[in-house]
Amino acid sequence: MSKDEKKLYKNMPLGKLCSMVTKPYFGALTLKTEHLKIEKNFSVLILLEENKNCTQKYISCALQIDKVSVVKIIDGFTKKGLVKRVQNPKDKREYFVELTPKAHNVLPKVHKTIKELNDIAFKGFSSKERDDFSKAIIKVYHNIEHFPSSHVIVYKTKKKISKSI
């Protein structure tokens, strides 16, 4: 990284830096998996693969996706034959979201693509550095998960704002 880049990014908000990584990464991931017709909702399938008895509420909380979006994602995956809703035998009002065999056939392709992109993104990183990065970003998330996200309040003031050039 050049001296100018270091200076430019030094005071940049963490969220902006993460966004700058997220856009090209998910763009490439979406492009490389567009033939699978799952759009950008890879994380939902991966969560369901790794956890049994997931409800829509659990998915929403675990992945920080609003409830309405989760319903749309699950409805879309249901139409594509990737997931099914199964009634909880202990609570008839609750439904679990489960992967179908079709999803289990798609997921290895998703994992392969993620591995390829991660290998590119972490080029020049040692195994320890990759592990440290993952631990650090998860730690950052836990430190700020209580921050407001989609419910930001903007206060209007009567004070006139002037620019000096």
Side-chain angles (χ1 to χ4, degrees):
M1 182 183 304
S2 73
K3 190 176 179 180
D4 288 340
E5 282 181 314
K6 283 182 184 177
K7 185 178 176 184
L8 172 67
Y9 298 128
K10 181 181 176 193
N11 295 317
M12 196 65 64
L14 176 62
K16 180 59 183 167
L17 293 173
C18 290
S19 171
M20 291 166 62
V21 171
T22 299
K23 285 180 182 181
Y25 183 91
F26 272 102
L29 186 56
T30 301
L31 188 63
K32 288 180 171 280
T33 57
E34 70 183 340
H35 64 285
L36 301 174
K37 309 277 190 239
I38 56 175
E39 297 171 18
K40 60 181 186 256
N41 301 305
F42 318 99
S43 54
V44 174
L45 294 178
I46 293 167
L47 178 74
L48 293 172
E49 179 184 39
E50 295 176 3
N51 298 278
K52 301 291 181 220
N53 300 330
C54 290
T55 62
Q56 289 178 176
K57 183 177 180 180
Y58 176 80
I59 295 166
S60 175
C61 291
L63 298 177
Q64 296 293 299
I65 303 171
D66 67 86
K67 292 175 187 175
V68 173
S69 295
V70 170
V71 170
K72 289 178 183 177
I73 292 166
I74 300 306
D75 286 348
F77 282 163
T78 300
K79 286 178 188 169
K80 292 173 183 171
L82 296 167
V83 301
K84 60 184 177 181
R85 289 179 175 96
V86 178
Q87 194 173 45
N88 178 351
K90 295 178 182 175
D91 181 352
K92 302 287 186 206
R93 297 168 295 165
E94 185 175 63
Y95 286 83
F96 298 127
V97 182
E98 294 181 1
L99 296 175
T100 64
K102 183 176 180 181
H104 285 288
N105 290 332
V106 165
L107 277 161
K109 297 169 189 160
V110 171
H111 290 303
K112 181 179 184 258
T113 305
I114 290 170
K115 184 191 177 320
E116 290 169 359
L117 289 173
N118 285 354
D119 287 346
I120 293 167
F122 285 110
K123 183 180 176 185
F125 283 65
S126 69
S127 262
K128 184 183 181 327
E129 288 173 319
R130 284 175 79 152
D131 190 48
D132 289 346
F133 176 83
S134 294
K135 287 177 183 173
I137 202 75
I138 290 166
K139 191 173 185 177
V140 168
Y141 168 68
H142 287 299
N143 288 341
I144 66 168
E145 67 184 325
H146 67 281
F147 285 7
S149 55
S150 61
H151 302 292
V152 177
I153 299 170
V154 178
Y155 294 100
K156 225 177 174 181
T157 64
K158 291 182 181 181
K159 195 175 189 182
K160 193 172 184 177
I161 299 171
S162 62
K163 284 185 178 179
S164 59
I165 299 177

